[in-house]
Amino acid sequence: MKIAIMGAMPEEISPILEKIGTYKTTAYAGNSYYEATYKGIELVIAYSKIGKVFSTLTATTMIEHFGATKLLFSGVAGAISSSLKVGDLIVATKLSQHDLDITAFGHPYGYVPGGSVFVEADKEMIEISKIVASEMGKNIQEGIIATGDQFVANEERKNWIGTTFGADALEMEGGSVAVVCNALNIAFFILRSISDAADMDASFSFDEFLESSAKESAEFIIKMVDKLAD
Ligand code: SAH
C-alpha cells in the first residue's frame, strides 16, 4: 500500500510534512512531491496548486508516476449547509463539478457523456473516518461536495450549487480528484475543514481561517493514516 496525501495549497500539507519529519523531495511535472515511510506505510505527499486542472495533474501523477494505491485529500472549503461552521470537518460521500455545463444539449448540470454527475468516495475509508472521529472525540459530517474553478463568494451562486447538486460544501479540487481516482480504480477519501461560508465575506474569512482550518483537516488525515497503518 502506498498512500497519496494531497492538498491544493502549501498550508494544507505543511502540518502533515511537519508531522512526518523526514522526507525525500522530487521535482516532477512542475511540482514537488514528498516521499516518506511513516509507520511502515509508504507515503507520497504534494499540494497541487489550486483548481481542477492542477489537481487532476497531481492526482494522476501520484498514482501513475509514484504508484499510489489510495488517495487522501486534506483541505479547506466553503460551507453551503448552515450546519457547517468554520473549523468543522466534512467528509465527501460523493462529488460533482458545479461548473461543468452542457445543459444547452439537454444534459443535467455536471454531466458530460461518458461521465456522471456524481462520483462516490470509498465507503470503507468513510467508515474508518467515523471510528477515527469517535476516538478523537470529533464531530464529522458526511455530505456532498461540489467542485468548480471558482472561488465562490456569492450567496446566490452558493445557493444555486446547494439546490442543484444537494451540496453541503464547495471547493475547487475534490471533484476532479474524484474523477481521476474513479477512472484509475483508486480508493479515495476527501476531507475538508470549513474556512468560510462562500458568501460576500468569504475572502476575509478564508484569509483568517485558512491556516487553522487546514490544520484541523491535516490532523484528522494523519489519524486516518495511523488507522490505515494498524
Ligand atoms: N487565497 C488564495 C486563493 C484561495 S482559492 C490565493 O490568493 O492564492 C480557495 C481554495 O480553498 C481552493 O483551493 C478551494 O478548494 C478552497 N476553498 C475554500 N473556500 C472556498 C470557496 N468559498 N469557494 C471555492 N473554493 C474554496
Side-chain angles (χ1 to χ4, degrees):
M1 174 163 61
K2 184 166 187 177
I3 299 181
I5 305 179
M6 191 181 157
M9 296 171 284
E11 293 85 352
E12 292 172 328
I13 63 156
S14 55
I16 295 163
L17 292 176
E18 273 163 34
K19 171 83 185 174
I20 305 295
T22 327
Y23 43 83
K24 178 180 133 201
T25 306
T26 305
Y28 187 81
N31 221 340
S32 293
Y33 291 83
Y34 309 98
E35 289 174 279
T37 304
Y38 171 77
K39 301 201 170 170
I41 290 191
E42 283 184 274
L43 300 179
V44 54
I45 304 163
Y47 74 90
S48 58
K49 300 184 276 241
I50 295 161
K52 294 197 294 181
V53 175
F54 282 129
S55 57
T56 298
L57 174 62
T58 295
T60 307
T61 299
M62 290 172 126
I63 298 164
E64 292 285 280
H65 184 77
F66 289 95
T69 52
K70 270 187 201 304
L71 188 149
L72 279 64
F73 191 106
S74 182
V76 298
I80 299 176
S81 163
S82 57
S83 65
L84 286 168
K85 307 291 180 212
V86 167
D88 286 354
L89 292 168
I90 172 164
V91 171
T93 51
K94 55 183 184 174
L95 301 100
S96 65
Q97 297 179 63
H98 66 71
D99 59 349
L100 188 56
D101 179 359
I102 55 164
T103 56
F105 299 93
H107 297 297
Y109 285 103
Y111 176 84
V112 291
S116 58
V117 176
F118 294 104
V119 178
E120 286 190 14
D122 181 58
K123 291 196 175 59
E124 204 181 314
M125 280 198 278
I126 296 176
E127 284 310 309
I128 293 172
S129 74
K130 290 181 193 165
I131 300 168
V132 170
S134 81
E135 285 175 2
M136 289 176 80
K138 284 225 181 261
N139 193 26
I140 49 164
Q141 292 188 39
E142 286 175 46
I144 297 173
I145 292 184
T147 299
D149 281 329
Q150 299 168 342
F151 182 80
V152 178
N154 174 313
E155 201 92 31
E156 207 180 318
R157 177 75 189 158
K158 153 183 151 163
N159 290 338
W160 179 85
I161 294 168
T163 309
T164 308
F165 296 96
D168 301 291
L170 55 84
E171 35 83 314
M172 302 178 67
E173 299 85 15
S176 37
V177 170
V179 169
V180 169
C181 292
N182 185 52
L184 296 173
N185 211 12
I186 295 293
F188 70 94
F189 176 78
I190 301 211
L191 180 73
R192 296 276 181 170
S193 173
I194 300 303
S195 55
D196 58 83
D199 55 10
M200 60 186 284
D201 298 324
S203 60
F204 306 104
S205 177
F206 177 92
D207 283 343
E208 187 175 350
F209 298 110
L210 166 63
E211 206 176 309
S212 56
S213 294
K215 203 157 173 256
E216 279 289 325
S217 177
E219 279 167 2
F220 194 94
I221 288 289
I222 291 163
K223 297 282 185 222
M224 278 290 290
V225 176
D226 287 346
K227 196 48 117 191
L228 292 168
D230 278 352

